[in-house]
Amino acid sequence: REAIDAVMDVDPTYGALKEPILKVTSVMRSLGFKSTQERPVELFSMEQRIGQMAHEIPTVFSFFLPEFAMRAGLVAPESQVLTTSKIVSTLNGLYSLVNYGLTKCYDGFGRRADACGSLEVGSTASSTGYLSYSAPNNRDNMVDELATLLTAGRLSEGSRSTIKAVVRREPDQEQSTRLAQQLILATPEFNSVGTVKTFEAPRPSLQRFRKPVEEYRAIVHLMFVGGIDSHNVLVPHSGCKLVDMYLQYANIRGILAVPKHTLLPIQARTRQVCRTFGLHPELPVLRDLYNSEEAVFFANSGFMTKLVSKDNFEDETDGLFAHNAMRANIHRLDPNNRIKHTGALGRLADVLSAKGMQARAVSVDASNEPLVGMLESTPPIYSLDKGGVNKFNANNGMSETIEQLNGPCEEVSNMFGETWSSSLHQALGQNDALDEAISTKKLSTDFPDSNIGRDLELVARLIQARQEMGAERDIFYVEMADFDTHANAVPRLTTLLSQFNAALLSFVTELKTQGVWKKVALLQTSDFGRTLTPNSSKGSDHGWAGHNFMLGGSVKGGLVHGTYPADLTDGGAGRGRGIPTLSYDQIYRGLSEWMGATYRDELAHVLPNGDTFRPLRDLFQQEEAGEATGEAAGEGEATAGEGDGEANEGTNRGTNFENNENYGNNRNNGGRRRRRRRSPQ
């Protein structure tokens, strides 16, 4: 009864976004797909292109997180894949299916790509199947019938009238049928479930980029997804106090230990248990950057709510050892949920935009979650896959009608439909702007043909296009997958780090060629560290603390921050799961200051729990560092704030930042004047 309840149907919060693969299968079923071959129908690269495919689940947590929420706070897991590239790829694939049948041509979902350039619209010669729908001769009746088949009759009267007017002007009957199908496939009624009510007025155009002012800076947050076994990235080597730490490491790690003679030695240059550490043998580029003082390590670091010990950690930290929970904690850095449904990078974009800076937030082949901000001034999130910009294959003149069909919704309209329409409007605008900015850009450096190589290549192209896009601040989020090494950890980690090393070499070389190496900082994190002890499958299991790194031309490098464990036989949180002594909040604070978030209320907005920990000292070269905030600097190890009052004070300032509409005007000029004195260009 609920499925046909009229009261529920008009509830703005009732319904859902359609899952991508269900859109494709519903079109094939509703419009009578017929295969031209005897073997089963095959769809290709669907998980990568639209975000979902049967039997191709990317992780044990499915295609999207069950708790993922839209900006309004309404839980909508499917909205996690409503990114620029996937929206465009989904529509392109459906339009190719309508126009040419199941083929690879024009971004289609098929395998065959015979003579795509000579294909005429309506020809299915290159396909392995086609839509057999036969339309009524009366075009108004055709639109109504398609509305029933594709939207269960929910297509609004206004949208029906718009589509009918368009198809009446098309002289060819078959082309008018294809045109009606394509227009309905772009509507919020097809892409969501609920009653949609739109205004006549169009949505406002996306703001075009202005030319940048004086400074450019960018951060690249690289997440090693799955939990990297960083015990084999930064290894105790020699010059250790009291005990032979490498021997202790080798005894505990057993078959997982990296042979000492293969390690790449580096000097700690800070007070650590050993003077010399060794890097994994597949990381010579990172070794060279460290030795040239352009990279740092963060020993025994991780997400924390507060400083804990092995006696109380279970009571003080939620979601330990779980991929989804710990990754979400790192994305948000808001353990007390003070600024709900936002990410730390998105809140940094809030601050930079409020100060009048032109900021871009870009996810590359990754989740949008870390980039979600809360202010109206927050820049829209650019979401790209490793293939870069995928042009929208709409027929000439159809884009304007699609925009009209996805106009601004009334307050009583379904929220899921509004999410689709606003996401589509943003995706098409972003796609055009990005294509215009980077289509003519050519890099000087060749990148390896790996996932991480293509991702960092795209980041380098976007950085190169900073002038065209008017970017003063870029915030990139990138993921590299497959670090969940429960089995065969040694060869798998070797392969992954070798791929990263090759991509990093190209990335650094290209940024230096562009002359922006000093303007970019790359921070690596991971879900968590792993157990020191091996399991029975020659792998390691979920841990907590790990050893992470940051690199860049302005990084004050050649140092190991934090405190490397002095006794690896201490079980920590069990099976050698280290308990962090250095918080990600401390690292993010230094990055945020370098990017321009320099006042305490700004930092409290970016890091609502940041005052719990003492800031790190001198993460960046002095001439490039952000201005001081007047607070005491720490020694590098996580140290609690000076009481609950300090933490609460910072949180209250974050709330004030949220409510202060004139914040940018009040802060902008003074903040910039002070920054110029400290950082002359």
Side-chain angles (χ1 to χ4, degrees):
R1 290 175 59 88
E2 181 182 289
I4 57 173
D5 191 317
V7 175
M8 296 293 290
D9 202 35
V10 297
D11 183 347
T13 64
Y14 174 71
L17 288 161
K18 284 187 182 176
E19 298 180 42
I21 193 61
L22 296 185
K23 298 179 189 180
V24 178
T25 55
S26 70
V27 170
M28 297 175 76
R29 288 174 175 171
S30 299
L31 301 184
F33 179 83
K34 289 187 176 180
S35 176
T36 58
Q37 53 187 12
E38 295 183 359
R39 65 173 182 267
V41 174
E42 295 178 280
L43 304 174
F44 292 93
S45 302
M46 300 296 279
E47 198 282 321
Q48 176 185 334
R49 295 175 55 206
I50 72 173
Q52 192 179 33
M53 182 56 189
H55 313 299
E56 293 183 11
I57 184 171
T59 73
V60 294
F61 301 105
S62 189
F63 302 97
F64 19 75
L65 299 174
E67 69 271 17
F68 194 86
M70 303 183 298
R71 273 185 185 268
L74 195 64
V75 173
E78 300 86 357
S79 67
Q80 188 172 352
V81 294
L82 278 187
T83 63
T84 301
S85 58
K86 287 181 171 55
I87 288 173
V88 173
S89 290
T90 301
L91 285 178
N92 280 351
L94 290 173
Y95 287 2
S96 175
L97 181 62
V98 168
N99 287 329
Y100 309 103
L102 186 58
T103 173
K104 189 177 181 180
C105 296
Y106 301 101
D107 208 17
F109 298 139
R111 179 190 291 272
R112 290 179 59 183
D114 305 336
C116 292
S118 61
L119 272 182
E120 294 185 0
V121 173
S123 171
T124 59
S126 183
S127 72
T128 56
Y130 60 94
L131 302 177
S132 65
Y133 170 74
S134 178
N137 290 329
N138 184 290
R139 299 190 182 187
D140 287 0
N141 291 343
M142 172 191 68
V143 172
D144 290 333
E145 184 173 86
L146 287 172
T148 300
L149 292 171
L150 296 174
T151 72
R154 289 179 294 100
L155 189 65
S156 70
E157 288 301 322
S159 293
R160 290 175 194 241
S161 298
T162 298
I163 296 172
K164 288 174 182 179
V166 171
V167 298
R168 288 191 204 113
R169 295 194 295 267
E170 172 55 52
D172 183 80
Q173 177 71 25
E174 291 187 357
Q175 178 57 20
S176 71
T177 301
R178 288 188 288 268
L179 184 57
Q181 291 171 359
Q182 292 175 83
L183 290 174
I184 292 176
L185 294 179
T187 62
E189 289 92 342
F190 171 75
N191 290 280
S192 66
V193 177
T195 301
V196 178
K197 298 180 180 179
T198 60
F199 293 111
E200 293 293 331
R203 292 178 183 271
S205 299
L206 294 181
Q207 182 181 356
R208 301 301 290 180
F209 306 110
R210 68 170 189 258
K211 293 297 181 182
V213 191
E214 300 175 3
E215 300 178 44
Y216 174 78
R217 288 182 184 176
I219 56 175
V220 182
H221 182 168
L222 173 60
M223 170 71 80
F224 283 165
V225 175
I228 184 174
D229 195 340
S230 54
H231 296 301
N232 282 3
V233 173
L234 185 68
V235 180
H237 187 278
S238 55
C240 307
K241 303 173 183 177
L242 302 178
V243 297
D244 185 336
M245 289 294 296
Y246 177 80
L247 181 60
Q248 191 179 87
Y249 155 87
N251 288 337
I252 293 174
R253 298 244 74 188
I255 58 173
L256 302 181
V258 181
K260 188 173 185 178
H261 71 276
T262 67
L263 292 171
L264 308 176
I266 61 169
Q267 303 304 308
R269 301 193 185 102
T270 55
R271 288 178 293 181
Q272 299 292 343
V273 66
C274 298
R275 290 194 301 273
T276 303
F277 287 86
L279 302 189
H280 192 282
E282 294 297 331
L283 292 174
V285 175
L286 185 57
R287 183 269 317 272
D288 294 343
L289 290 171
Y290 182 91
N291 287 339
S292 61
E293 300 186 358
E294 297 169 296
V296 296
F297 277 92
F298 302 109
N300 210 46
S301 54
F303 169 80
M304 289 189 287
T305 301
K306 59 188 292 187
L307 282 173
V308 294
S309 67
K310 61 183 177 181
D311 298 321
N312 68 347
F313 74 90
E314 291 181 297
D315 299 326
E316 298 293 345
T317 309
D318 294 329
L320 281 177
F321 318 132
H323 289 291
N324 58 336
M326 291 301 282
R327 202 175 305 150
N329 283 335
I330 296 168
H331 288 167
R332 297 167 188 162
L333 290 183
D334 184 13
N336 298 310
N337 214 17
R338 290 168 176 162
I339 309 178
K340 294 182 178 180
H341 309 301
T342 62
L345 293 175
R347 296 192 299 271
L348 176 58
D350 285 344
V351 169
L352 300 178
S353 296
K355 297 184 78 164
M357 298 184 191
Q358 184 72 23
R360 284 188 302 182
V362 185
S363 70
V364 177
D365 206 29
S367 168
N368 282 352
E369 187 177 31
L371 300 169
V372 176
M374 65 169 293
L375 302 183
E376 289 298 324
S377 61
T378 303
I381 301 169
Y382 291 83
S383 301
L384 301 173
D385 61 27
K386 60 180 63 66
V389 178
N390 193 12
K391 298 193 71 171
F392 182 42
N393 293 333
N395 293 338
N396 290 336
M398 200 166 70
S399 294
E400 291 183 6
T401 307
I402 290 174
E403 289 283 359
Q404 185 177 350
L405 294 170
N406 288 276
C409 294
E410 299 178 11
E411 288 187 6
V412 295
S413 182
N414 185 267
M415 295 176 68
F416 297 98
E418 164 61 19
T419 295
W420 162 260
S421 293
S422 60
S423 298
L424 175 63
H425 174 72
Q426 179 176 301
L428 297 182
Q430 287 181 347
N431 222 50
D432 290 343
L434 286 168
D435 183 58
E436 180 182 324
I438 70 174
S439 59
T440 60
K441 294 296 180 183
K442 302 295 182 183
L443 300 182
S444 302
T445 310
D446 292 330
F447 280 72
D449 186 23
S450 62
N451 287 340
I452 186 61
R454 290 188 289 272
D455 287 349
L456 291 182
E457 179 180 15
L458 182 54
V459 172
R461 290 177 65 197
L462 290 167
I463 290 174
Q464 188 183 39
R466 62 195 179 278
Q467 294 289 341
E468 289 77 4
M469 300 191 72
E472 295 176 280
R473 295 292 185 272
D474 269 333
I475 302 171
F476 297 101
Y477 178 68
V478 183
E479 292 180 347
M480 182 177 178
D482 296 330
F483 283 95
D484 195 19
T485 50
H486 287 286
N488 301 317
V490 171
R492 288 176 61 190
L493 185 63
T494 297
T495 298
L496 290 167
L497 293 182
S498 175
Q499 291 175 356
F500 170 69
N501 184 77
L504 181 61
L505 176 61
S506 296
F507 187 63
V508 173
T509 301
E510 177 60 32
L511 294 188
K512 289 182 176 180
T513 301
Q514 291 185 26
V516 293
W517 174 235
K518 286 185 173 292
K519 304 297 183 181
V520 180
L522 183 150
L523 170 66
Q524 171 270 319
T525 64
S526 194
D527 308 20
F528 36 61
R530 304 192 75 83
T531 56
L532 273 165
T533 58
N535 59 30
S536 59
S537 299
K538 300 180 181 179
S540 57
D541 299 318
H542 299 178
W544 188 0
H547 312 303
N548 302 284
F549 56 82
M550 183 170 71
L551 52 93
S554 291
V555 170
K556 190 173 183 179
L559 303 171
V560 178
H561 291 285
T563 302
Y564 197 92
D567 183 5
L568 299 180
T569 63
D570 183 348
R575 286 192 57 199
R577 295 183 175 99
I579 297 174
T581 53
L582 181 65
S583 169
Y584 284 150
D585 287 80
Q586 297 170 274
I587 302 167
Y588 251 81
R589 175 169 179 152
L591 268 175
S592 299
E593 289 178 330
W594 182 70
M595 288 288 282
T598 52
Y599 291 91
R600 289 195 63 182
D601 52 354
E602 296 170 351
L603 292 169
H605 181 75
V606 178
L607 303 166
N609 196 47
D611 277 345
T612 304
F613 309 100
R614 186 171 293 175
L616 278 173
R617 181 182 293 170
D618 296 335
L619 280 182
F620 291 89
Q621 300 292 341
Q622 188 62 40
E623 65 273 17
E624 295 287 344
E627 64 184 295
T629 62
E631 296 178 273
E635 294 296 333
E637 186 174 354
T639 306
E642 297 182 6
D644 293 339
E646 182 179 355
N648 291 336
E649 184 183 359
T651 303
N652 290 336
R653 282 191 294 272
T655 304
N656 290 336
F657 171 82
E658 172 189 350
N659 295 329
N660 185 358
E661 295 179 356
N662 296 319
Y663 177 83
N665 295 330
N666 294 339
R667 290 296 197 191
N668 184 31
N669 293 333
R672 287 183 176 229
R673 281 197 300 269
R674 293 176 66 186
R675 187 168 62 254
R676 286 183 186 131
R677 283 204 302 270
R678 294 293 300 272
S679 305
Q681 298 301 310

